[in-house]
Amino acid sequence: MKSSFQNLNKAFENKIRLGIMSVLSVNSRASFNDLKEMLELTDGNLASHLKSLESSGYIKVIKSFVDRKPNTKYEITDSGAAAFESHIKALEEILKQI
């Protein structure tokens, strides 16, 4: 069981980052406001976790304007999808061993 725990990704140990990655893994893109609403977070809390995932290369930011208003969307990267899938598989292995 020890080796399964070693396969967990520290970036996803936090429930907010796990939630962000879960949303982005099943949706092609999600806006800042969509993530904020789905995960019931404050602007600052969500922004700090998004920045962490972006700096890890797991998500990318897409900025645009809609009716002259800034619109920020997030998308999972290929490396983020692979890392998240590996993390989920490690969790499943741990659960199988219990």
Side-chain angles (χ1 to χ4, degrees):
M1 178 155 14
K2 185 177 182 181
S3 64
S4 296
F5 279 102
Q6 291 173 345
N7 293 330
L8 293 175
N9 188 320
K10 289 201 177 286
F12 309 132
E13 285 179 356
N14 181 283
K15 69 179 182 176
I16 294 172
R17 289 191 294 271
L18 183 67
I20 292 167
M21 293 300 288
S22 297
V23 170
L24 294 177
S25 69
V26 296
N27 297 290
S28 59
R29 289 184 180 166
S31 71
F32 184 89
N33 288 331
D34 289 340
L35 289 168
K36 185 173 108 172
E37 185 178 305
M38 282 188 251
L39 301 172
E40 300 178 353
L41 300 169
T42 63
D43 287 358
N45 199 0
L46 177 58
S48 67
H49 289 288
L50 288 168
K51 185 177 277 192
S52 172
L53 290 169
E54 182 187 8
S55 66
S56 297
Y58 293 148
I59 63 171
K60 65 181 174 179
V61 181
I62 301 150
K63 294 189 180 241
S64 63
F65 287 90
V66 176
D67 297 328
R68 296 185 183 194
K69 293 180 183 176
N71 186 17
T72 306
K73 294 194 180 227
Y74 297 88
E75 193 174 279
I76 197 167
T77 62
D78 290 340
S79 63
F84 189 65
E85 183 178 334
S86 176
H87 182 77
I88 295 300
K89 285 182 180 178
L91 286 173
E92 289 172 345
E93 285 301 313
I94 290 167
L95 291 174
K96 286 178 186 176
Q97 295 173 10
I98 294 178

